[in-house]
Amino acid sequence: RVKAQIELQTRSLIAQNVARRYITGISISEEDIQAEYDEQSSVAPPMQFKARHILVESQGEATAIIGELDQGGDFETLAKEKSTGPSGPSGGDLGWFPPDRMVAEFSQAVQALADGEFSKEPVQTQFGWHVILREESRDSVPPPFESVQDVLKQQVEAKKLQEYIDSLRS
């Protein structure tokens, strides 16, 4: 067992050394980093949403809350009183989020609503039943290139290292 652990440590050290040598030997150009930025910006969700929700355990509870909202109830107050989710005490506020950060059913419901509109039917997810208020929406704006340049450089280095490893395997 000890002999196997020593062998694993030896291989790990060799692999780390090869990776370190490779990374220090390659040059990452500004164009490589810009290309990574452009690629990641192009796959970012086009919209972000600001929403609130009220999470309850049953469809009946959610339907009753929708009835209260139809009669002029205040969403934030109802969320504080009735929501069982962690955002309940803050009036159900979820802040800004891209659609892919939420579970599919929730995300689809938010996208189907108009700004300022709440769901007219309860939305079921693995967490329970939701009543959703879409407060606002906006186009996603990628962070400025300068603020993510160092992270992008590391990502480009990691991709090039993976390509190198793949070429060694083949």
Side-chain angles (χ1 to χ4, degrees), residues 14-28 32 154-168:
I14 291 170
Q16 287 173 9
N17 201 12
V18 168
R20 188 176 12 261
R21 270 199 226 156
Y22 179 77
I23 295 279
T24 57
I26 61 172
S27 64
I28 305 296
D32 292 335
Q154 291 173 353
Q155 291 173 351
V156 171
E157 286 173 345
K159 280 185 179 180
K160 289 189 179 248
L161 177 60
Q162 188 59 50
E163 290 169 4
Y164 177 64
I165 291 169
D166 291 345
S167 72
L168 290 175

Side-chain angles (χ1 to χ4, degrees), residues 49-71:
F49 301 98
K50 185 172 190 298
R52 293 180 181 272
H53 78 132
I54 300 170
L55 176 64
V56 292
E57 293 181 13
S58 72
Q59 183 177 10
E61 289 174 282
T63 302
I65 291 168
I66 291 170
E68 289 183 53
L69 290 168
D70 284 336
Q71 295 174 2

Side-chain angles (χ1 to χ4, degrees), residues 49-55 69 74-80 83 87-97 102 106 110 113 117-119 130-136:
F49 301 98
K50 185 172 190 298
R52 293 180 181 272
H53 78 132
I54 300 170
L55 176 64
L69 290 168
D74 179 59
F75 198 97
E76 192 173 339
T77 302
L78 287 169
K80 287 177 181 176
S83 184
S87 65
S90 63
D93 189 13
L94 298 171
W96 287 98
F97 58 89
M102 300 295 181
F106 191 96
V110 169
L113 294 170
E117 184 181 29
F118 63 87
S119 54
H130 304 261
V131 179
I132 303 167
L133 169 64
R134 177 171 139 180
E135 294 184 306
E136 297 178 61

Side-chain angles (χ1 to χ4, degrees), residues 94-155:
L94 298 171
W96 287 98
F97 58 89
D100 60 355
R101 199 176 87 200
M102 300 295 181
V103 294
E105 301 89 353
F106 191 96
S107 177
Q108 290 165 1
V110 169
Q111 291 178 69
L113 294 170
D115 287 355
E117 184 181 29
F118 63 87
S119 54
K120 300 299 181 189
E121 297 292 325
V123 177
Q124 185 179 21
T125 70
Q126 67 212 40
F127 304 107
W129 293 87
H130 304 261
V131 179
I132 303 167
L133 169 64
R134 177 171 139 180
E135 294 184 306
E136 297 178 61
S137 60
R138 66 183 180 197
D139 290 331
S140 290
V141 178
F145 176 76
E146 294 76 25
S147 70
V148 293
Q149 189 171 3
D150 292 339
V151 172
L152 291 171
K153 182 179 180 192
Q154 291 173 353
Q155 291 173 351

